Amino acid sequence: PQCLVTIMADEGEGGRAEGKFSKFKGGMFLGTVAGIGLLAGFSTTLGMTKKRSPDMFDKGLTGTAGMTESGASLGLRALKWGTFYAVVGVGGLAFVALKILGVNNLTEFRTEMQNKLPRIPKARTKNRVENFDSLFGNETEANQNETNQDETNQDETNQEETNER
């Protein structure tokens, strides 16, 4: 409870530096929760495997006379090679793309992409869901009045654009 109060106080005071710190804290929280979930899932799966066939589990960790290497070392070797191929592949693809476009850094790449690709228009406010009540059809009179006012403002904007032409 005390941590929640601190986070809410940081967000309420405003300021750019505090906003970045709040985002950092949020990211750390999400990373911690994801890490704990990953660890819990992996350990649960490992425990279930050991419980179902303990002798095969032990053979996979230590290896036997018939196997040239243990399952754990084979998996670790596969993970190393997979990581190597993924990093080299993505790095090579990025390098080739940068050379084809003739740019030297990410700022130039961003500018080049903005020039070559079409712009994506922003979504209209009218189509966006503003709150949870409108998702379930429980709109209050205030929400209906806001919607009617937005539609009136949109109609006025469209009428002004038509008059300018």
Side-chain angles (χ1 to χ4, degrees), residues 50-105:
K50 188 172 184 176
K51 185 183 270 187
R52 286 189 182 169
S53 55
D55 56 336
M56 293 303 279
F57 184 81
D58 291 335
K59 284 182 185 178
L61 286 177
T62 58
T64 60
M67 296 190 311
T68 57
E69 68 182 317
S70 70
S73 63
L74 181 65
L76 187 59
R77 189 165 49 114
L79 180 65
K80 287 178 184 177
W81 279 108
T83 303
F84 172 74
Y85 287 138
V87 169
V88 169
V90 171
L93 186 64
F95 180 76
V96 167
L98 290 176
K99 290 304 169 187
I100 288 174
L101 291 172
V103 296
N104 296 322
N105 56 32

Side-chain angles (χ1 to χ4, degrees), residues 147-161:
T147 304
N148 292 339
Q149 187 177 10
D150 288 343
E151 289 175 359
T152 305
N153 291 341
Q154 184 67 30
D155 291 340
E156 290 174 1
T157 305
N158 290 343
Q159 197 172 37
E160 288 175 4
E161 289 176 0

Side-chain angles (χ1 to χ4, degrees), residues 5-145:
V5 173
T6 305
I7 291 173
M8 292 174 75
D10 287 346
E11 289 177 359
E13 293 172 4
R16 186 174 183 145
E18 291 174 0
K20 285 183 179 180
F21 184 67
S22 179
K23 285 182 181 181
F24 174 74
K25 287 189 333 186
M28 290 299 293
F29 173 74
L30 289 176
T32 302
V33 169
I36 290 171
L38 184 67
L39 184 64
F42 183 74
S43 61
T44 302
T45 304
L46 204 58
M48 285 177 25
T49 304
K50 188 172 184 176
K51 185 183 270 187
R52 286 189 182 169
S53 55
D55 56 336
M56 293 303 279
F57 184 81
D58 291 335
K59 284 182 185 178
L61 286 177
T62 58
T64 60
M67 296 190 311
T68 57
E69 68 182 317
S70 70
S73 63
L74 181 65
L76 187 59
R77 189 165 49 114
L79 180 65
K80 287 178 184 177
W81 279 108
T83 303
F84 172 74
Y85 287 138
V87 169
V88 169
V90 171
L93 186 64
F95 180 76
V96 167
L98 290 176
K99 290 304 169 187
I100 288 174
L101 291 172
V103 296
N104 296 322
N105 56 32
L106 291 178
T107 306
E108 291 177 8
F109 177 76
R110 180 179 56 125
T111 307
E112 191 72 25
M113 287 292 102
Q114 286 176 344
N115 291 336
K116 290 186 184 274
L117 297 175
R119 293 205 179 268
I120 299 173
K122 291 184 178 181
R124 291 184 174 181
T125 309
K126 185 176 174 183
N127 295 333
R128 187 174 55 186
V129 176
E130 297 293 332
N131 56 27
F132 287 112
D133 290 337
S134 63
L135 278 175
F136 301 109
N138 299 332
E139 291 190 30
T140 61
E141 290 180 16
N143 289 342
Q144 289 175 352
N145 290 338

